[in-house]
Amino acid sequence: EAQVTQNPRYLITVTGKKLTVTCSQNMNHEYMSWYRQDPGLGLRQIYYSMNVEVTDKGDVPEGYKVSRKEKRNFPLILESPSPNQTSLYFCASSTAGELFFGEGSRLTVL
Amino acid sequence: DAKTTQPPSMDCAEGRAANLPCNHSTISGNEYVYWYRQIHSQGPQYIIHGLKNNETNEMASLIITEDRKSSTLILPHATLRDTAVYYCIVRGGYSGGSNYKLTFGKGTLLTVNP
């Protein structure tokens, strides 16, 4: 089954404790992306990757890092999380057409 | 990416057609119109996309005006399960190094009433 898998789905952490949200897709898609969703602000793109070792900033990249060492994986790294990064995060992948989204990762930073 | 404008909310009676408008007056020639929806806090789901011509699939129809400055998503027989936030997005095609900074906007909350 074609899918985008994110982990963890839920996480509560504390300020400054590094964390990684993993994203994996099984569709051999070149394009992958991360979004965050906050009440009243809709979905905002954090980073995207057009292929292995090719990444670029989206609209809200501050405080985040990404890497794309393999085609199937696109982890989102929060080196020093802060409370304003409390949000619902979505990973997505795509080829020439529709975006496939993961089920989301709800992150709370205390 | 060209920006889109959608009404913040709409209501529709169950069984009736839901017509969701989207304005994308700055769309460029190689940009497609995509529609997604998001039910509660689930991952957004692809509905349909088009470039110039009207499109139809098992979920919906997409009507794009001749000048491509606006479009309408039509759910022909809305059900309660169609209650969701609907996003209209324009994005470049995959060839030719298009802009991949996708902007979703706030979408339209469609509420289907019994």
Side-chain angles (χ1 to χ4, degrees), chain A residues 42-96:
Chain A
L43 281 156
R44 295 179 293 169
Q45 192 175 43
I46 304 171
Y47 270 95
Y48 64 91
S49 169
M50 291 170 59
N51 214 325
V52 175
E53 302 293 0
V54 181
T55 64
D56 207 350
K57 297 177 181 178
D59 292 317
V60 288
E62 294 78 21
Y64 305 94
K65 287 176 57 178
V66 292
S67 68
R68 188 89 182 275
K69 293 181 168 46
E70 305 168 278
K71 201 172 191 178
R72 64 181 291 123
N73 296 322
F74 190 44
L76 180 70
I77 304 158
L78 287 73
E79 293 271 4
S80 182
S82 62
N84 65 12
Q85 293 178 296
T86 292
S87 188
L88 177 60
Y89 291 87
F90 289 102
C91 178
S93 74
S94 174
T95 181

Side-chain angles (χ1 to χ4, degrees), chain A residues 6-10 21 87-90 103-107:
Chain A
Q6 299 178 224
N7 280 296
R9 294 287 313 279
Y10 302 91
V21 186
S87 188
L88 177 60
Y89 291 87
F90 289 102
E103 287 303 306
S105 296
R106 188 169 292 280
L107 171 64

